[in-house]
Amino acid sequence: MEFEILSKPSYSLLELRLNAGEEVLAETGAMIYMKGVELKTEAKGGFLGGLKRIISGESFFVNRFVAIESNAVLGLAPPYQGDIIHIPLNGVVYAQSGAFLASTPNVEIDTKWKGAKGFFAGEGLILMKIVGSGDLFLSSFGGIVEVNVEDKFVVDTGHIVAFEDSLDFNVKRVGGLKATLLSGEGLVAEFRGEGRLWVQTRSISDFVGWLSSLLPKRD
């Protein structure tokens, strides 16, 4: 499998070139175009144990694309403007659920893990544990910045895309209630340890709030 990420960083599109028989699992609705690729809808063990699983109380769907000829092409993109990154996974990363775009079949989401259920509830996010060895593609709202954490690093929860399992974290509010209301900030995650952290340059919840402020007010 070969891949290229086009139109970075604002309107990224993942283009995959597959050999016959190669498979890719992708978020439902992510397909933009395909050639020589067949969509499989039957349940299959392994990744999520099928097409639908429950993660922290939310439904999660994926589609399985199989190349039926050599030099097959598959174009994938998230539903919102932003970037896409490739992580050659060999172990564990944690990602907010909206970040998953695609992966090879030997990358799995651990649906039994409950360690951070609702940990990003204040931002409408759910953390997923992604394990395995293969290619993982994550998307963001806005650009993606990779941070090499060496000791302590604080990030607004609405800007977290993913992080390595070598990092520990603690979620807390910024200052007291009054400071939180006046600053416009809410929950932050304080990371400690050494490892990689991926953050997005925009927050979906902040963007939605900004759009709402522009709507005409009813009397």
Side-chain angles (χ1 to χ4, degrees), residues 54-67:
I54 304 301
I55 300 178
S56 299
E58 287 196 357
S59 297
F60 188 85
F61 296 83
V62 293
N63 285 331
R64 184 164 64 95
F65 296 91
V66 181

mmCIF file with all atom_site columns, all heavy atoms in Angstrom, residues 54-67:
data_model
loop_
_atom_site.group_PDB
_atom_site.id
_atom_site.type_symbol
_atom_site.label_atom_id
_atom_site.label_alt_id
_atom_site.label_comp_id
_atom_site.label_asym_id
_atom_site.label_entity_id
_atom_site.label_seq_id
_atom_site.pdbx_PDB_ins_code
_atom_site.Cartn_x
_atom_site.Cartn_y
_atom_site.Cartn_z
_atom_site.occupancy
_atom_site.B_iso_or_equiv
_atom_site.pdbx_formal_charge
_atom_site.auth_seq_id
_atom_site.auth_comp_id
_atom_site.auth_asym_id
_atom_site.auth_atom_id
_atom_site.pdbx_PDB_model_num
ATOM 1   N N   . ILE A 1 54 ? -19.836 -0.430 20.422 1.00 0.00 ? 54 ILE A N   1
ATOM 2   C CA  . ILE A 1 54 ? -20.158 0.651  21.327 1.00 0.00 ? 54 ILE A CA  1
ATOM 3   C C   . ILE A 1 54 ? -18.898 1.081  22.045 1.00 0.00 ? 54 ILE A C   1
ATOM 4   O O   . ILE A 1 54 ? -18.201 0.285  22.652 1.00 0.00 ? 54 ILE A O   1
ATOM 5   C CB  . ILE A 1 54 ? -21.214 0.198  22.357 1.00 0.00 ? 54 ILE A CB  1
ATOM 6   C CG1 . ILE A 1 54 ? -22.443 -0.333 21.621 1.00 0.00 ? 54 ILE A CG1 1
ATOM 7   C CG2 . ILE A 1 54 ? -21.592 1.340  23.283 1.00 0.00 ? 54 ILE A CG2 1
ATOM 8   C CD1 . ILE A 1 54 ? -23.107 0.666  20.701 1.00 0.00 ? 54 ILE A CD1 1
ATOM 9   N N   . ILE A 1 55 ? -18.587 2.365  21.943 1.00 0.00 ? 55 ILE A N   1
ATOM 10  C CA  . ILE A 1 55 ? -17.412 2.927  22.605 1.00 0.00 ? 55 ILE A CA  1
ATOM 11  C C   . ILE A 1 55 ? -17.900 4.022  23.541 1.00 0.00 ? 55 ILE A C   1
ATOM 12  O O   . ILE A 1 55 ? -18.391 5.050  23.095 1.00 0.00 ? 55 ILE A O   1
ATOM 13  C CB  . ILE A 1 55 ? -16.416 3.496  21.594 1.00 0.00 ? 55 ILE A CB  1
ATOM 14  C CG1 . ILE A 1 55 ? -15.947 2.396  20.648 1.00 0.00 ? 55 ILE A CG1 1
ATOM 15  C CG2 . ILE A 1 55 ? -15.239 4.131  22.310 1.00 0.00 ? 55 ILE A CG2 1
ATOM 16  C CD1 . ILE A 1 55 ? -15.007 2.891  19.598 1.00 0.00 ? 55 ILE A CD1 1
ATOM 17  N N   . SER A 1 56 ? -17.781 3.755  24.839 1.00 0.00 ? 56 SER A N   1
ATOM 18  C CA  . SER A 1 56 ? -18.193 4.731  25.854 1.00 0.00 ? 56 SER A CA  1
ATOM 19  C C   . SER A 1 56 ? -19.603 5.248  25.601 1.00 0.00 ? 56 SER A C   1
ATOM 20  O O   . SER A 1 56 ? -19.886 6.423  25.755 1.00 0.00 ? 56 SER A O   1
ATOM 21  C CB  . SER A 1 56 ? -17.207 5.904  25.872 1.00 0.00 ? 56 SER A CB  1
ATOM 22  O OG  . SER A 1 56 ? -15.918 5.451  26.193 1.00 0.00 ? 56 SER A OG  1
ATOM 23  N N   . GLY A 1 57 ? -20.489 4.336  25.177 1.00 0.00 ? 57 GLY A N   1
ATOM 24  C CA  . GLY A 1 57 ? -21.879 4.709  25.011 1.00 0.00 ? 57 GLY A CA  1
ATOM 25  C C   . GLY A 1 57 ? -22.228 5.288  23.660 1.00 0.00 ? 57 GLY A C   1
ATOM 26  O O   . GLY A 1 57 ? -23.365 5.633  23.402 1.00 0.00 ? 57 GLY A O   1
ATOM 27  N N   . GLU A 1 58 ? -21.262 5.420  22.743 1.00 0.00 ? 58 GLU A N   1
ATOM 28  C CA  . GLU A 1 58 ? -21.551 5.939  21.418 1.00 0.00 ? 58 GLU A CA  1
ATOM 29  C C   . GLU A 1 58 ? -21.346 4.856  20.368 1.00 0.00 ? 58 GLU A C   1
ATOM 30  O O   . GLU A 1 58 ? -20.487 3.992  20.500 1.00 0.00 ? 58 GLU A O   1
ATOM 31  C CB  . GLU A 1 58 ? -20.647 7.130  21.083 1.00 0.00 ? 58 GLU A CB  1
ATOM 32  C CG  . GLU A 1 58 ? -21.003 8.396  21.840 1.00 0.00 ? 58 GLU A CG  1
ATOM 33  C CD  . GLU A 1 58 ? -20.357 9.609  21.218 1.00 0.00 ? 58 GLU A CD  1
ATOM 34  O OE1 . GLU A 1 58 ? -19.598 9.434  20.235 1.00 0.00 ? 58 GLU A OE1 1
ATOM 35  O OE2 . GLU A 1 58 ? -20.601 10.716 21.706 1.00 0.00 ? 58 GLU A OE2 1
ATOM 36  N N   . SER A 1 59 ? -22.162 4.912  19.320 1.00 0.00 ? 59 SER A N   1
ATOM 37  C CA  . SER A 1 59 ? -21.999 3.964  18.222 1.00 0.00 ? 59 SER A CA  1
ATOM 38  C C   . SER A 1 59 ? -20.814 4.390  17.359 1.00 0.00 ? 59 SER A C   1
ATOM 39  O O   . SER A 1 59 ? -20.598 5.577  17.129 1.00 0.00 ? 59 SER A O   1
ATOM 40  C CB  . SER A 1 59 ? -23.271 3.922  17.373 1.00 0.00 ? 59 SER A CB  1
ATOM 41  O OG  . SER A 1 59 ? -24.354 3.458  18.141 1.00 0.00 ? 59 SER A OG  1
ATOM 42  N N   . PHE A 1 60 ? -20.053 3.409  16.888 1.00 0.00 ? 60 PHE A N   1
ATOM 43  C CA  . PHE A 1 60 ? -18.902 3.700  16.035 1.00 0.00 ? 60 PHE A CA  1
ATOM 44  C C   . PHE A 1 60 ? -18.991 2.793  14.820 1.00 0.00 ? 60 PHE A C   1
ATOM 45  O O   . PHE A 1 60 ? -19.111 1.575  14.956 1.00 0.00 ? 60 PHE A O   1
ATOM 46  C CB  . PHE A 1 60 ? -17.607 3.451  16.802 1.00 0.00 ? 60 PHE A CB  1
ATOM 47  C CG  . PHE A 1 60 ? -16.383 3.914  16.071 1.00 0.00 ? 60 PHE A CG  1
ATOM 48  C CD1 . PHE A 1 60 ? -15.957 5.234  16.168 1.00 0.00 ? 60 PHE A CD1 1
ATOM 49  C CD2 . PHE A 1 60 ? -15.652 3.043  15.282 1.00 0.00 ? 60 PHE A CD2 1
ATOM 50  C CE1 . PHE A 1 60 ? -14.828 5.667  15.503 1.00 0.00 ? 60 PHE A CE1 1
ATOM 51  C CE2 . PHE A 1 60 ? -14.530 3.465  14.607 1.00 0.00 ? 60 PHE A CE2 1
ATOM 52  C CZ  . PHE A 1 60 ? -14.114 4.785  14.725 1.00 0.00 ? 60 PHE A CZ  1
ATOM 53  N N   . PHE A 1 61 ? -18.971 3.365  13.622 1.00 0.00 ? 61 PHE A N   1
ATOM 54  C CA  . PHE A 1 61 ? -19.116 2.604  12.404 1.00 0.00 ? 61 PHE A CA  1
ATOM 55  C C   . PHE A 1 61 ? -17.862 2.731  11.545 1.00 0.00 ? 61 PHE A C   1
ATOM 56  O O   . PHE A 1 61 ? -17.238 3.794  11.513 1.00 0.00 ? 61 PHE A O   1
ATOM 57  C CB  . PHE A 1 61 ? -20.308 3.123  11.595 1.00 0.00 ? 61 PHE A CB  1
ATOM 58  C CG  . PHE A 1 61 ? -21.631 2.954  12.271 1.00 0.00 ? 61 PHE A CG  1
ATOM 59  C CD1 . PHE A 1 61 ? -22.067 3.885  13.199 1.00 0.00 ? 61 PHE A CD1 1
ATOM 60  C CD2 . PHE A 1 61 ? -22.441 1.877  11.971 1.00 0.00 ? 61 PHE A CD2 1
ATOM 61  C CE1 . PHE A 1 61 ? -23.298 3.752  13.814 1.00 0.00 ? 61 PHE A CE1 1
ATOM 62  C CE2 . PHE A 1 61 ? -23.673 1.732  12.587 1.00 0.00 ? 61 PHE A CE2 1
ATOM 63  C CZ  . PHE A 1 61 ? -24.111 2.668  13.510 1.00 0.00 ? 61 PHE A CZ  1
ATOM 64  N N   . VAL A 1 62 ? -17.514 1.667  10.836 1.00 0.00 ? 62 VAL A N   1
ATOM 65  C CA  . VAL A 1 62 ? -16.455 1.718  9.847  1.00 0.00 ? 62 VAL A CA  1
ATOM 66  C C   . VAL A 1 62 ? -16.891 0.953  8.603  1.00 0.00 ? 62 VAL A C   1
ATOM 67  O O   . VAL A 1 62 ? -17.742 0.077  8.669  1.00 0.00 ? 62 VAL A O   1
ATOM 68  C CB  . VAL A 1 62 ? -15.122 1.110  10.353 1.00 0.00 ? 62 VAL A CB  1
ATOM 69  C CG1 . VAL A 1 62 ? -14.525 1.952  11.464 1.00 0.00 ? 62 VAL A CG1 1
ATOM 70  C CG2 . VAL A 1 62 ? -15.309 -0.332 10.795 1.00 0.00 ? 62 VAL A CG2 1
ATOM 71  N N   . ASN A 1 63 ? -16.312 1.320  7.460  1.00 0.00 ? 63 ASN A N   1
ATOM 72  C CA  . ASN A 1 63 ? -16.490 0.572  6.228  1.00 0.00 ? 63 ASN A CA  1
ATOM 73  C C   . ASN A 1 63 ? -15.184 -0.118 5.875  1.00 0.00 ? 63 ASN A C   1
ATOM 74  O O   . ASN A 1 63 ? -14.107 0.399  6.171  1.00 0.00 ? 63 ASN A O   1
ATOM 75  C CB  . ASN A 1 63 ? -16.905 1.505  5.082  1.00 0.00 ? 63 ASN A CB  1
ATOM 76  C CG  . ASN A 1 63 ? -18.352 1.932  5.186  1.00 0.00 ? 63 ASN A CG  1
ATOM 77  O OD1 . ASN A 1 63 ? -19.191 1.212  5.725  1.00 0.00 ? 63 ASN A OD1 1
ATOM 78  N ND2 . ASN A 1 63 ? -18.662 3.116  4.686  1.00 0.00 ? 63 ASN A ND2 1
ATOM 79  N N   . ARG A 1 64 ? -15.292 -1.283 5.236  1.00 0.00 ? 64 ARG A N   1
ATOM 80  C CA  . ARG A 1 64 ? -14.106 -2.035 4.818  1.00 0.00 ? 64 ARG A CA  1
ATOM 81  C C   . ARG A 1 64 ? -14.012 -1.980 3.299  1.00 0.00 ? 64 ARG A C   1
ATOM 82  O O   . ARG A 1 64 ? -14.922 -2.401 2.592  1.00 0.00 ? 64 ARG A O   1
ATOM 83  C CB  . ARG A 1 64 ? -14.193 -3.485 5.300  1.00 0.00 ? 64 ARG A CB  1
ATOM 84  C CG  . ARG A 1 64 ? -12.943 -4.306 4.972  1.00 0.00 ? 64 ARG A CG  1
ATOM 85  C CD  . ARG A 1 64 ? -12.919 -5.582 5.803  1.00 0.00 ? 64 ARG A CD  1
ATOM 86  N NE  . ARG A 1 64 ? -14.009 -6.471 5.505  1.00 0.00 ? 64 ARG A NE  1
ATOM 87  C CZ  . ARG A 1 64 ? -13.927 -7.495 4.648  1.00 0.00 ? 64 ARG A CZ  1
ATOM 88  N NH1 . ARG A 1 64 ? -12.792 -7.737 4.025  1.00 0.00 ? 64 ARG A NH1 1
ATOM 89  N NH2 . ARG A 1 64 ? -14.963 -8.267 4.437  1.00 0.00 ? 64 ARG A NH2 1
ATOM 90  N N   . PHE A 1 65 ? -12.894 -1.447 2.813  1.00 0.00 ? 65 PHE A N   1
ATOM 91  C CA  . PHE A 1 65 ? -12.654 -1.339 1.379  1.00 0.00 ? 65 PHE A CA  1
ATOM 92  C C   . PHE A 1 65 ? -11.587 -2.352 0.979  1.00 0.00 ? 65 PHE A C   1
ATOM 93  O O   . PHE A 1 65 ? -10.522 -2.419 1.588  1.00 0.00 ? 65 PHE A O   1
ATOM 94  C CB  . PHE A 1 65 ? -12.191 0.072  1.019  1.00 0.00 ? 65 PHE A CB  1
ATOM 95  C CG  . PHE A 1 65 ? -13.216 1.136  1.288  1.00 0.00 ? 65 PHE A CG  1
ATOM 96  C CD1 . PHE A 1 65 ? -13.247 1.799  2.520  1.00 0.00 ? 65 PHE A CD1 1
ATOM 97  C CD2 . PHE A 1 65 ? -14.156 1.477  0.333  1.00 0.00 ? 65 PHE A CD2 1
ATOM 98  C CE1 . PHE A 1 65 ? -14.184 2.781  2.770  1.00 0.00 ? 65 PHE A CE1 1
ATOM 99  C CE2 . PHE A 1 65 ? -15.108 2.471  0.573  1.00 0.00 ? 65 PHE A CE2 1
ATOM 100 C CZ  . PHE A 1 65 ? -15.128 3.109  1.799  1.00 0.00 ? 65 PHE A CZ  1
ATOM 101 N N   . VAL A 1 66 ? -11.872 -3.116 -0.071 1.00 0.00 ? 66 VAL A N   1
ATOM 102 C CA  . VAL A 1 66 ? -10.964 -4.163 -0.549 1.00 0.00 ? 66 VAL A CA  1
ATOM 103 C C   . VAL A 1 66 ? -10.616 -3.902 -2.005 1.00 0.00 ? 66 VAL A C   1
ATOM 104 O O   . VAL A 1 66 ? -11.513 -3.711 -2.845 1.00 0.00 ? 66 VAL A O   1
ATOM 105 C CB  . VAL A 1 66 ? -11.588 -5.560 -0.408 1.00 0.00 ? 66 VAL A CB  1
ATOM 106 C CG1 . VAL A 1 66 ? -10.607 -6.633 -0.885 1.00 0.00 ? 66 VAL A CG1 1
ATOM 107 C CG2 . VAL A 1 66 ? -12.003 -5.828 1.038  1.00 0.00 ? 66 VAL A CG2 1
ATOM 108 N N   . ALA A 1 67 ? -9.322  -3.881 -2.321 1.00 0.00 ? 67 ALA A N   1
ATOM 109 C CA  . ALA A 1 67 ? -8.884  -3.696 -3.703 1.00 0.00 ? 67 ALA A CA  1
ATOM 110 C C   . ALA A 1 67 ? -9.141  -4.980 -4.492 1.00 0.00 ? 67 ALA A C   1
ATOM 111 O O   . ALA A 1 67 ? -8.727  -6.061 -4.085 1.00 0.00 ? 67 ALA A O   1
ATOM 112 C CB  . ALA A 1 67 ? -7.403  -3.339 -3.741 1.00 0.00 ? 67 ALA A CB  1
#
